[in-house]
Amino acid sequence: EVVMTQSPATLSVSPGERATLSCRASQAISPNLAWYQQKPGQAPRLLIYGASTRATGVPDRFSGSGSGTEFTLTISSLQSEDFAVYYCQQYNYWPPLLTFGPGTKVDI
Amino acid sequence: EVQLVESGGGLVQPGGSLRLSCAASGFTFSTYSMNWVRQAPGKGLEWISYISPTSSTIYYGDSVKGRVFVSRDNAKNSLYLQMDSMRDEDTAIYYCARMGGVGRNWFDPWGQGTLVTVSS
C-alpha cells in the first residue's frame, strides 16, 4: 500500500503571497504524481501531472517539483480564485493502486 | 468541448441498489479508459473503479470490491456504475473521470458529480 500525506492541512495566506504545499509518498513514486484543485461545490481540476508538467490552460503561477517521495506544489502569487483544496495523487503503482493525499486547504 | 455528465444519484436505503450513469461528449469515448472516483461529505477523494476502452480490463478499489460493477457502452458514449448492497459509508458524491491514455494515469476531466445518500 502506498500512503500519501499532505502538509499542512490548512494554509492561510494573503492574496499576492507565495504558497508552498507539500505531498509525501510512503514509497518512491517519481515522477508519477498529479495535483488537482477543488473549489467548493465543484469537481476537481487537473493542475499538474508528471510531478511538474502543467495541464492545458493552467496559469504559470502554478508549478510542481520534487522527486522520489517528496513533492511540492507552489503557487507563486496567490489570486482570489486560487483559494481551494489541493490534492496530490500517485499513479506510479497503477495498476491497481491510485491513491490520493488527504488534501491541503488554502484559505485567506 | 470535452464534457462528462453524471446522473442517477439519489437516496437509497442500506442494502439497496443504485445505478449511476456518465454521459460523455466532445471526445472519442471508445478510445479512453474511464474511472469512478467518490468523495464522502467533507472528505477527500477515493478512486473506486477503472474500465479500459474495450472493457477488457476492470479494476475496483478494496472498499467497493464485490459490491459495485462498472460497465460502458461505447455506442452510447456512456459509463455506468451499478452499486449493490449499499452501506452508509457509500454516501458520497460520485464523479466519473477520464484517464489520459497509456501511461497517462491521471484524471482529466471530471464530471460535476452525482450525490448518493445511503440512509434509512
Side-chain angles (χ1 to χ4, degrees), chain A residues 55-78:
Chain A
T56 302
V58 175
D60 60 7
R61 63 180 180 272
F62 291 92
S63 63
S65 63
S67 63
T69 62
E70 302 278 348
F71 300 87
T72 300
L73 175 70
T74 302
I75 311 171
S76 60
S77 177
L78 269 157

mmCIF file of all heavy atoms in Angstrom, chain A residues 55-78:
data_model
loop_
_atom_site.group_PDB
_atom_site.id
_atom_site.type_symbol
_atom_site.label_atom_id
_atom_site.label_comp_id
_atom_site.label_asym_id
_atom_site.label_seq_id
_atom_site.Cartn_x
_atom_site.Cartn_y
_atom_site.Cartn_z
ATOM 1 N N ALA A 55 -1.015 21.180 -16.722
ATOM 2 C CA ALA A 55 -2.070 20.764 -17.637
ATOM 3 C C ALA A 55 -2.468 21.953 -18.516
ATOM 4 O O ALA A 55 -2.159 23.111 -18.207
ATOM 5 C CB ALA A 55 -3.270 20.252 -16.850
ATOM 6 N N THR A 56 -3.155 21.654 -19.586
ATOM 7 C CA THR A 56 -3.594 22.682 -20.527
ATOM 8 C C THR A 56 -4.429 23.741 -19.823
ATOM 9 O O THR A 56 -5.363 23.439 -19.073
ATOM 10 C CB THR A 56 -4.420 22.049 -21.647
ATOM 11 O OG1 THR A 56 -3.640 21.048 -22.299
ATOM 12 C CG2 THR A 56 -4.860 23.097 -22.657
ATOM 13 N N GLY A 57 -4.060 25.002 -20.046
ATOM 14 C CA GLY A 57 -4.841 26.103 -19.505
ATOM 15 C C GLY A 57 -4.507 26.500 -18.083
ATOM 16 O O GLY A 57 -5.089 27.458 -17.565
ATOM 17 N N VAL A 58 -3.592 25.810 -17.451
ATOM 18 C CA VAL A 58 -3.233 26.130 -16.070
ATOM 19 C C VAL A 58 -2.239 27.303 -16.057
ATOM 20 O O VAL A 58 -1.213 27.249 -16.744
ATOM 21 C CB VAL A 58 -2.622 24.903 -15.360
ATOM 22 C CG1 VAL A 58 -2.125 25.269 -13.958
ATOM 23 C CG2 VAL A 58 -3.656 23.777 -15.287
ATOM 24 N N PRO A 59 -2.519 28.334 -15.295
ATOM 25 C CA PRO A 59 -1.628 29.502 -15.274
ATOM 26 C C PRO A 59 -0.225 29.145 -14.802
ATOM 27 O O PRO A 59 -0.038 28.233 -13.984
ATOM 28 C CB PRO A 59 -2.309 30.445 -14.268
ATOM 29 C CG PRO A 59 -3.735 30.008 -14.225
ATOM 30 C CD PRO A 59 -3.718 28.543 -14.460
ATOM 31 N N ASP A 60 0.756 29.891 -15.297
ATOM 32 C CA ASP A 60 2.137 29.543 -14.953
ATOM 33 C C ASP A 60 2.536 29.950 -13.541
ATOM 34 O O ASP A 60 3.680 29.715 -13.131
ATOM 35 C CB ASP A 60 3.117 30.124 -15.985
ATOM 36 C CG ASP A 60 3.059 31.634 -16.084
ATOM 37 O OD1 ASP A 60 2.350 32.265 -15.263
ATOM 38 O OD2 ASP A 60 3.710 32.195 -16.990
ATOM 39 N N ARG A 61 1.626 30.529 -12.778
ATOM 40 C CA ARG A 61 1.930 30.764 -11.361
ATOM 41 C C ARG A 61 1.896 29.462 -10.568
ATOM 42 O O ARG A 61 2.372 29.405 -9.433
ATOM 43 C CB ARG A 61 0.980 31.786 -10.736
ATOM 44 C CG ARG A 61 -0.467 31.383 -10.696
ATOM 45 C CD ARG A 61 -1.319 32.487 -10.051
ATOM 46 N NE ARG A 61 -2.732 32.135 -9.984
ATOM 47 C CZ ARG A 61 -3.583 32.386 -10.958
ATOM 48 N NH1 ARG A 61 -3.169 32.990 -12.061
ATOM 49 N NH2 ARG A 61 -4.871 32.049 -10.822
ATOM 50 N N PHE A 62 1.343 28.402 -11.170
ATOM 51 C CA PHE A 62 1.343 27.074 -10.560
ATOM 52 C C PHE A 62 2.553 26.300 -11.077
ATOM 53 O O PHE A 62 2.768 26.201 -12.280
ATOM 54 C CB PHE A 62 0.073 26.295 -10.914
ATOM 55 C CG PHE A 62 -1.183 26.838 -10.292
ATOM 56 C CD1 PHE A 62 -1.959 27.772 -10.959
ATOM 57 C CD2 PHE A 62 -1.590 26.408 -9.036
ATOM 58 C CE1 PHE A 62 -3.124 28.278 -10.386
ATOM 59 C CE2 PHE A 62 -2.748 26.900 -8.457
ATOM 60 C CZ PHE A 62 -3.514 27.848 -9.133
ATOM 61 N N SER A 63 3.331 25.743 -10.159
ATOM 62 C CA SER A 63 4.447 24.910 -10.571
ATOM 63 C C SER A 63 4.586 23.728 -9.627
ATOM 64 O O SER A 63 4.298 23.825 -8.425
ATOM 65 C CB SER A 63 5.746 25.719 -10.608
ATOM 66 O OG SER A 63 6.076 26.187 -9.317
ATOM 67 N N GLY A 64 5.023 22.622 -10.199
ATOM 68 C CA GLY A 64 5.234 21.413 -9.418
ATOM 69 C C GLY A 64 6.688 20.994 -9.472
ATOM 70 O O GLY A 64 7.359 21.186 -10.494
ATOM 71 N N SER A 65 7.155 20.417 -8.387
ATOM 72 C CA SER A 65 8.531 19.950 -8.348
ATOM 73 C C SER A 65 8.623 18.770 -7.388
ATOM 74 O O SER A 65 7.663 18.434 -6.691
ATOM 75 C CB SER A 65 9.468 21.077 -7.894
ATOM 76 O OG SER A 65 9.141 21.483 -6.566
ATOM 77 N N GLY A 66 9.803 18.171 -7.368
ATOM 78 C CA GLY A 66 10.050 17.080 -6.446
ATOM 79 C C GLY A 66 10.401 15.793 -7.145
ATOM 80 O O GLY A 66 10.287 15.670 -8.373
ATOM 81 N N SER A 67 10.812 14.827 -6.357
ATOM 82 C CA SER A 67 11.176 13.516 -6.880
ATOM 83 C C SER A 67 11.187 12.512 -5.741
ATOM 84 O O SER A 67 11.157 12.905 -4.564
ATOM 85 C CB SER A 67 12.542 13.549 -7.564
ATOM 86 O OG SER A 67 13.547 13.887 -6.623
ATOM 87 N N GLY A 68 11.252 11.243 -6.117
ATOM 88 C CA GLY A 68 11.297 10.198 -5.093
ATOM 89 C C GLY A 68 10.014 10.123 -4.307
ATOM 90 O O GLY A 68 8.995 9.643 -4.826
ATOM 91 N N THR A 69 10.063 10.613 -3.083
ATOM 92 C CA THR A 69 8.885 10.582 -2.214
ATOM 93 C C THR A 69 8.408 11.965 -1.802
ATOM 94 O O THR A 69 7.371 12.077 -1.142
ATOM 95 C CB THR A 69 9.170 9.774 -0.926
ATOM 96 O OG1 THR A 69 10.236 10.422 -0.203
ATOM 97 C CG2 THR A 69 9.574 8.340 -1.241
ATOM 98 N N GLU A 70 9.126 13.014 -2.162
ATOM 99 C CA GLU A 70 8.803 14.360 -1.696
ATOM 100 C C GLU A 70 8.479 15.273 -2.875
ATOM 101 O O GLU A 70 9.299 15.429 -3.794
ATOM 102 C CB GLU A 70 9.988 14.944 -0.918
ATOM 103 C CG GLU A 70 10.439 14.130 0.281
ATOM 104 C CD GLU A 70 9.580 14.405 1.497
ATOM 105 O OE1 GLU A 70 8.802 15.373 1.493
ATOM 106 O OE2 GLU A 70 9.685 13.618 2.480
ATOM 107 N N PHE A 71 7.304 15.886 -2.824
ATOM 108 C CA PHE A 71 6.844 16.724 -3.919
ATOM 109 C C PHE A 71 6.259 18.022 -3.384
ATOM 110 O O PHE A 71 5.768 18.071 -2.244
ATOM 111 C CB PHE A 71 5.794 15.976 -4.756
ATOM 112 C CG PHE A 71 6.330 14.712 -5.357
ATOM 113 C CD1 PHE A 71 6.298 13.523 -4.640
ATOM 114 C CD2 PHE A 71 6.904 14.715 -6.617
ATOM 115 C CE1 PHE A 71 6.822 12.353 -5.170
ATOM 116 C CE2 PHE A 71 7.435 13.547 -7.168
ATOM 117 C CZ PHE A 71 7.389 12.367 -6.443
ATOM 118 N N THR A 72 6.299 19.044 -4.235
ATOM 119 C CA THR A 72 5.832 20.365 -3.838
ATOM 120 C C THR A 72 5.005 20.985 -4.949
ATOM 121 O O THR A 72 5.364 20.883 -6.129
ATOM 122 C CB THR A 72 7.026 21.283 -3.520
ATOM 123 O OG1 THR A 72 7.796 20.720 -2.458
ATOM 124 C CG2 THR A 72 6.547 22.669 -3.110
ATOM 125 N N LEU A 73 3.907 21.612 -4.555
ATOM 126 C CA LEU A 73 3.138 22.470 -5.456
ATOM 127 C C LEU A 73 3.323 23.893 -4.952
ATOM 128 O O LEU A 73 3.070 24.176 -3.774
ATOM 129 C CB LEU A 73 1.657 22.096 -5.449
ATOM 130 C CG LEU A 73 0.746 23.010 -6.276
ATOM 131 C CD1 LEU A 73 1.006 22.830 -7.775
ATOM 132 C CD2 LEU A 73 -0.728 22.737 -5.968
ATOM 133 N N THR A 74 3.769 24.761 -5.850
ATOM 134 C CA THR A 74 3.985 26.157 -5.494
ATOM 135 C C THR A 74 3.056 27.039 -6.300
ATOM 136 O O THR A 74 2.929 26.870 -7.513
ATOM 137 C CB THR A 74 5.447 26.564 -5.750
ATOM 138 O OG1 THR A 74 6.320 25.717 -4.990
ATOM 139 C CG2 THR A 74 5.681 28.015 -5.346
ATOM 140 N N ILE A 75 2.405 27.953 -5.599
ATOM 141 C CA ILE A 75 1.613 28.983 -6.256
ATOM 142 C C ILE A 75 2.352 30.279 -6.001
ATOM 143 O O ILE A 75 2.456 30.738 -4.856
ATOM 144 C CB ILE A 75 0.175 29.047 -5.706
ATOM 145 C CG1 ILE A 75 -0.443 27.635 -5.658
ATOM 146 C CG2 ILE A 75 -0.683 29.959 -6.573
ATOM 147 C CD1 ILE A 75 -1.777 27.563 -4.937
ATOM 148 N N SER A 76 2.884 30.873 -7.061
ATOM 149 C CA SER A 76 3.867 31.945 -6.879
ATOM 150 C C SER A 76 3.256 33.219 -6.304
ATOM 151 O O SER A 76 3.876 33.900 -5.496
ATOM 152 C CB SER A 76 4.565 32.247 -8.199
ATOM 153 O OG SER A 76 3.601 32.651 -9.165
ATOM 154 N N SER A 77 2.062 33.559 -6.725
ATOM 155 C CA SER A 77 1.398 34.775 -6.255
ATOM 156 C C SER A 77 -0.098 34.489 -6.234
ATOM 157 O O SER A 77 -0.752 34.499 -7.281
ATOM 158 C CB SER A 77 1.714 35.949 -7.179
ATOM 159 O OG SER A 77 1.014 37.114 -6.773
ATOM 160 N N LEU A 78 -0.610 34.231 -5.052
ATOM 161 C CA LEU A 78 -1.985 33.756 -4.933
ATOM 162 C C LEU A 78 -3.000 34.779 -5.424
ATOM 163 O O LEU A 78 -2.951 35.964 -5.042
ATOM 164 C CB LEU A 78 -2.281 33.395 -3.485
ATOM 165 C CG LEU A 78 -2.009 31.937 -3.131
ATOM 166 C CD1 LEU A 78 -1.767 31.772 -1.667
ATOM 167 C CD2 LEU A 78 -3.160 31.063 -3.593
#
